[in-house]
Amino acid sequence: MKTVLTDDPYKAAEFISAGGIVAFPTETVYGLGADIFNPAAIKKIFDAKDRPADNPLIAHVAELSQINEIAMELNDRAAKFIEEFFPGALTIVLRKTTAVPLIATANLDSIGVRMPSLTIANSFLRACKTPIVAPSANLSGKPSPTTWQAVAEDLDGRIDCILRGEATDIGLESTVVDCTGEVPLLLRSGSVSLEDLKSIIPETIAYSIKDGEKPKSPGLRHKHYAPAAKVLVVEKNFVPASPDRAAYIGLDRPNTDAGFDYVKICGSVGDYAHSIFEFFRECDRRQIQNIYCESVSNTAIGAALMDRITRASEN
Ligand code: TXA
Ligand code: MG
């Protein structure tokens, strides 16, 4: 399959109408989209990414009225979060309508819904005239793509089209909050933090898997965000065990950078979050073997960053 590159959201949307799959930018990471009401197109997403069939997709909408087509009545928790955080980097899990095919939700009776704020994403979604299901546009298990070039690296020849945009602003995937129960559950951290959610609904809690329980968010049980290199989370002032073919990323300059083949010092935690997935990819291109990531304080976007680097270190 030839993958068409375009800067035109209307041209990209034509591939969706024809039953194809299209990668597009959002403010978090690039997504790989299909028409939510076209099961054959959705199947192509799972095939192109090698994504496990039990990992549900997020539905992306251009306007609030589209939520009624795919989710049952909005409860007051969901309505409050939508009022505060849409459009933006928050996905809300709701009960789905029967119109949504089960392949989209991996057989769950709920659906994650998000309205991206990035202008070109909104233009594309509007032109599609249907909600678009989209996971991150990477091969399953790889770091999420924050540039169209990273999408092409993984998926060129496997998808119909890439809508080219800028490098993504936030660089980490959206926050996911389950609003199907009485108490909102934070399933995945992102730039909308637990503190942000609690400021709207104080009862909101972070979900943690209890022993022997099936995880609420199936994505949590899959390998994620991992470069081929080994990832090590370290404190400021550590001394690397094996500086050979090693890289470092953090806020503070390491004690000794003499041994490092590749070093990135970030100006802020936000910059660190924005850079991490592309840094991982660049380390793989350079055949780095060990990536040292400086730990940061577990608050705000730092919590999401620590979640991603900790997961990467567990692979
Ligand atoms: O920022 C983002 O969220 C990006 C952009 C493209 O929107 N998308 C993204 O999708 O990161 P993906 O598929 O890579 O991650 C979706 C996460 C997974 O962990 C999945 O298990 C969870 O959201 N999820 C989706 N639908 C769910 C549902 N109905 N119930 C629980 N978790 C759900
Ligand atoms: Mg993903």
Side-chain angles (χ1 to χ4, degrees), residues 243-263:
D244 196 35
R245 302 231 58 74
Y248 171 89
I249 184 168
L251 297 174
D252 302 290
R253 203 156 267 293
N255 252 348
T256 161
D257 57 3
F260 289 111
D261 296 277
Y262 181 36
V263 172

Side-chain angles (χ1 to χ4, degrees), residues 49 51 135-136 138 144 173 188 224:
K49 280 184 56 104
R51 183 177 176 97
S136 50
N138 50 283
S144 294
E173 307 86 347
R188 179 174 74 182
H224 254 116

Side-chain angles (χ1 to χ4, degrees), residues 24-203:
F24 63 100
T26 80
E27 68 277 24
T28 56
V29 299
Y30 275 70
L32 176 60
D35 177 352
I36 193 170
F37 300 122
N38 185 336
I42 298 173
K43 169 86 166 52
K44 292 181 193 170
I45 293 181
F46 284 91
D47 290 346
K49 280 184 56 104
D50 275 333
R51 183 177 176 97
D54 62 355
N55 199 358
L57 307 180
I58 293 172
H60 297 69
V61 298
E63 44 194 302
L64 292 179
S65 61
Q66 287 180 310
I67 299 176
N68 303 327
E69 300 172 40
I70 55 178
M72 311 282 255
E73 244 180 317
L74 288 186
N75 55 47
D76 60 335
R77 281 92 66 207
K80 282 183 187 160
F81 285 142
I82 287 173
E83 161 97 26
E84 184 69 21
F85 299 112
F86 276 31
L90 181 69
T91 296
I92 299 184
V93 175
L94 299 163
R95 295 253 162 263
K96 79 174 192 68
T97 61
T98 52
V100 176
L102 283 166
I103 186 175
T105 61
N107 288 317
L108 295 177
D109 63 358
S110 61
I111 178 97
V113 181
R114 166 159 125 77
M115 181 190 284
S117 63
L118 189 72
T119 306
I120 188 173
N122 188 270
S123 305
F124 168 68
L125 293 170
R126 254 174 225 291
C128 290
K129 298 192 171 70
T130 174
I132 295 294
V133 278
S136 50
N138 50 283
L139 285 173
S140 198
K142 293 260 224 136
S144 294
T146 57
T147 64
W148 69 262
Q149 291 92 338
V151 175
E153 193 171 61
D154 278 12
L155 299 176
D156 188 36
R158 300 170 74 99
I159 63 178
D160 295 286
C161 175
I162 299 174
L163 174 59
R164 286 186 300 200
E166 304 287 312
T168 63
D169 187 26
I170 296 169
L172 300 181
E173 307 86 347
S174 63
T175 303
V176 179
V177 65
D178 183 342
C179 286
T180 59
E182 287 300 317
V183 175
L185 284 180
L186 173 67
L187 299 182
R188 179 174 74 182
S189 54
S191 70
V192 176
S193 66
L194 180 61
E195 303 93 272
D196 294 334
L197 296 172
K198 279 171 162 303
S199 74
I200 305 302
I201 302 180
E203 293 75 28

Side-chain angles (χ1 to χ4, degrees), residues 1-16 20-24 31-33 124 137 151 155-164:
M1 172 190 298
K2 177 165 168 19
T3 301
V4 173
L5 296 176
T6 181
D7 305 323
D8 179 356
Y10 299 92
K11 183 169 178 196
E14 283 170 14
F15 288 97
I16 296 288
I21 54 176
V22 174
F24 63 100
L32 176 60
F124 168 68
V151 175
L155 299 176
D156 188 36
R158 300 170 74 99
I159 63 178
D160 295 286
C161 175
I162 299 174
L163 174 59
R164 286 186 300 200

